[in-house]
Amino acid sequence: MKIPFNVPPHSSNEEKYISQAIGFRKLSGEGTFNKKCAEWFKEHLHCQMAVITPSCTSALEMAMVLADIGPGDEVILPSFTFTSTANVVALYGATPVFVDVEPGTMNIDVAAMEKAITAKTKVVMPVHYAGISCQMDKIMALSDKHGFIVIADAAQGIFASYQGKPVGSFGHMAAYSFHETKNIVCGEGGALIINDPRFVARAEIVRDKGTNRQQFLNGQVDKYTWQDKGSSYLQSELAAAFLLSQLEEGSLITARRLAHWEQYHEGFAELEKAGKLTRMKVPSDCEGNAHIYYMLLNSADERAALWSYLKEAGIQSTTHYVPLHSAPAGIRFGRVSGSMKVTDDQANRLLRMPMWADLTKEDVSFVVNKVRQFFAEK
Ligand SMILES: *Cc1c(COP(=O)(O)O)cnc(C)c1O
């Protein structure tokens, strides 16, 4: 048996929509399918604007431009995240300020975040790890008090919710990813969700190389020109066509993942009771999307041993981030605020199980049994 860590999901209308896009003879970012995907987000999130982008990384970059990040500004974020979250900050000459995560969710520790606030704090970037939302009520209350902008890295958060609303609807802006390793995919892709109306007018310009081309296309001006800083944050119609099909079937794809998540969670309950491992947690005000199923082993050595044991059995489990505060570029461009105890400890003990929509019940049982066997044989 071979069980890979990830296989991208398939949805019904990918080929059909791509053929339609080819037939429309309009393949750049203002085409029908980009509009339809943006509409989908507006309907589901009630956001002010959604920009379908070439990646989550580019969506975060666009958010940095809209937030006017530059040298001297500080951006608070967890060290336990993907490179992109901090890289977009360094790219514009601002300083990433790394804080610790909470032990239960591996999400930004709000108390540590509050302590990291200085007069230079311009943005805070919560990362919804494993699709489980950060404590956005507390973070937004601190934003109201201190005036910083909240840009959520919701790369992993599609179809997850917080207090009954989609995670992307929290924060002034939020960025999703549709990279092939995420729940909903189009190869490479992302979306910038703008929830605060004050960023909308500039977003039209920033996304289109800093020009007012959109006004020109809408017939509001008779020629367009360079207005502001920007880049090309537009997605190809071919990828957007694929994405629309995935979004339309996203609830079904998520439901399949959630069933596997539950099966893992139940399957590992006994081992947790016996003190062999700690299962991931979902706070009561969060609804997950089964982006990841992870567990914490009791030591880094035990994680390495389980990883090899599963590999031997054909099962591809994986660790996750090397904390950014200890990465070469993190040391060069960022600084640490407070203790990194939880990050340093838990990042070394975390292991992710195979998770993708088309796994079967038998696949998941096989993985669960192998993990049980590992502990039984010890
Ligand atoms: C995947 C991921 C990204 C990057 O997404 P891309 O679409 O590949 O740019 C950023 N942040 C987090 C937390 C991610 O998981």
Side-chain angles (χ1 to χ4, degrees), residues 4-6 257 260-261 264 290-293 353-357 359:
F5 178 70
N6 176 60
R257 297 181 75 108
H260 308 324
W261 194 97
Y264 278 131
H291 175 59
I292 288 173
Y293 191 90
M353 298 295 111
M355 177 55 86
W356 35 282
L359 277 170

Side-chain angles (χ1 to χ4, degrees), residues 24-41:
F24 292 156
R25 299 285 160 131
K26 187 85 199 76
L27 295 176
S28 65
E30 302 88 26
T32 311
F33 286 100
N34 268 283
K35 286 200 181 104
K36 283 188 174 174
C37 289
E39 277 307 312
W40 187 95
F41 281 101

Side-chain angles (χ1 to χ4, degrees), residues 53-60 80-85 127-130 153-156 175-182 187-191 291-292 320-321:
T53 57
S55 65
C56 176
T57 305
S58 59
L60 290 170
F80 187 74
T81 182
F82 188 62
T83 308
S84 296
T85 327
V127 179
H128 306 308
Y129 183 63
D153 183 337
Q156 305 174 6
Y176 284 116
S177 173
F178 310 114
H179 182 265
E180 74 161 18
T181 52
K182 300 303 199 284
E188 301 277 356
H291 175 59
I292 288 173
H320 218 167
Y321 311 122

Side-chain angles (χ1 to χ4, degrees), residues 24-97:
F24 292 156
R25 299 285 160 131
K26 187 85 199 76
L27 295 176
S28 65
E30 302 88 26
T32 311
F33 286 100
N34 268 283
K35 286 200 181 104
K36 283 188 174 174
C37 289
E39 277 307 312
W40 187 95
F41 281 101
K42 280 186 110 168
E43 243 170 63
H44 287 78
L45 271 60
H46 307 293
C47 54
Q48 297 292 322
M49 182 180 182
V51 181
I52 309 305
T53 57
S55 65
C56 176
T57 305
S58 59
L60 290 170
E61 269 181 46
M62 184 175 158
M64 291 298 132
V65 176
L66 290 172
D68 254 327
I69 287 294
D73 295 330
E74 292 181 347
V75 176
I76 304 173
L77 72 164
S79 169
F80 187 74
T81 182
F82 188 62
T83 308
S84 296
T85 327
N87 181 66
V88 295
V89 177
L91 208 51
Y92 293 101
T95 305
V97 176

Side-chain angles (χ1 to χ4, degrees), residues 186-203:
C186 62
E188 301 277 356
L192 181 65
I193 306 303
I194 300 178
N195 293 315
D196 184 328
R198 78 187 136 137
F199 297 113
V200 170
R202 264 190 85 213

Side-chain angles (χ1 to χ4, degrees), residues 42-316:
K42 280 186 110 168
E43 243 170 63
H44 287 78
L45 271 60
H46 307 293
C47 54
Q48 297 292 322
M49 182 180 182
V51 181
I52 309 305
T53 57
S55 65
C56 176
T57 305
S58 59
L60 290 170
E61 269 181 46
M62 184 175 158
M64 291 298 132
V65 176
L66 290 172
D68 254 327
I69 287 294
D73 295 330
E74 292 181 347
V75 176
I76 304 173
L77 72 164
S79 169
F80 187 74
T81 182
F82 188 62
T83 308
S84 296
T85 327
N87 181 66
V88 295
V89 177
L91 208 51
Y92 293 101
T95 305
V97 176
F98 299 116
V99 298
D100 211 355
V101 289
E102 312 169 329
T105 55
M106 301 294 284
N107 278 337
I108 192 164
D109 180 323
V110 179
M113 187 212 99
E114 189 173 5
K115 283 196 195 123
I117 297 170
T118 71
K120 293 178 177 174
T121 305
K122 195 152 187 188
V123 168
V124 168
M125 298 175 83
V127 179
H128 306 308
Y129 183 63
I132 307 299
S133 178
C134 299
Q135 296 181 43
M136 294 306 288
D137 51 353
K138 290 188 187 160
I139 294 170
M140 295 317 288
L142 285 170
S143 159
D144 288 344
K145 188 171 156 200
H146 297 278
F148 54 75
I149 298 165
V150 177
I151 299 172
D153 183 337
Q156 305 174 6
I158 191 82
F159 287 100
S161 55
Y162 174 67
Q163 299 183 343
K165 285 174 21 184
V167 299
S169 57
F170 294 88
H172 300 103
M173 293 181 256
Y176 284 116
S177 173
F178 310 114
H179 182 265
E180 74 161 18
T181 52
K182 300 303 199 284
N183 290 23
I184 299 300
V185 306
C186 62
E188 301 277 356
L192 181 65
I193 306 303
I194 300 178
N195 293 315
D196 184 328
R198 78 187 136 137
F199 297 113
V200 170
R202 264 190 85 213
E204 292 283 12
I205 289 168
V206 168
R207 71 187 291 213
D208 218 346
K209 301 94 177 168
T211 71
N212 58 339
R213 187 155 172 272
Q214 196 55 48
Q215 290 179 324
F216 169 73
L217 294 172
N218 295 344
Q220 292 157 288
V221 289
D222 58 12
K223 56 180 179 292
Y224 72 88
T225 179
W226 189 24
Q227 304 281 340
D228 200 341
K229 286 187 288 189
S231 188
S232 181
Y233 294 116
L234 301 155
Q235 174 64 294
S236 154
E237 269 292 275
L238 298 176
F242 192 103
L243 179 61
L244 183 67
S245 172
Q246 292 256 328
L247 288 171
E248 286 173 349
E249 268 165 47
S251 306
L252 292 172
I253 293 169
T254 308
R256 273 145 66 200
R257 297 181 75 108
L258 283 165
H260 308 324
W261 194 97
E262 291 295 339
Q263 199 185 338
Y264 278 131
H265 207 57
E266 275 167 36
F268 298 135
E270 283 298 318
L271 290 171
E272 184 174 62
K273 256 194 212 144
K276 306 284 190 199
L277 52 79
T278 308
R279 298 179 300 167
M280 65 179 283
K281 303 269 179 300
V282 182
S284 59
D285 53 1
C286 295
E287 222 177 293
N289 60 356
H291 175 59
I292 288 173
Y293 191 90
Y294 73 84
M295 57 175 73
L296 298 171
L297 284 309
N298 288 341
S299 69
D301 286 348
E302 193 149 270
R303 176 180 72 171
L306 177 58
W307 180 84
S308 325
Y309 186 89
L310 294 177
K311 187 169 178 241
E312 209 49 39
I315 298 164
Q316 192 184 14

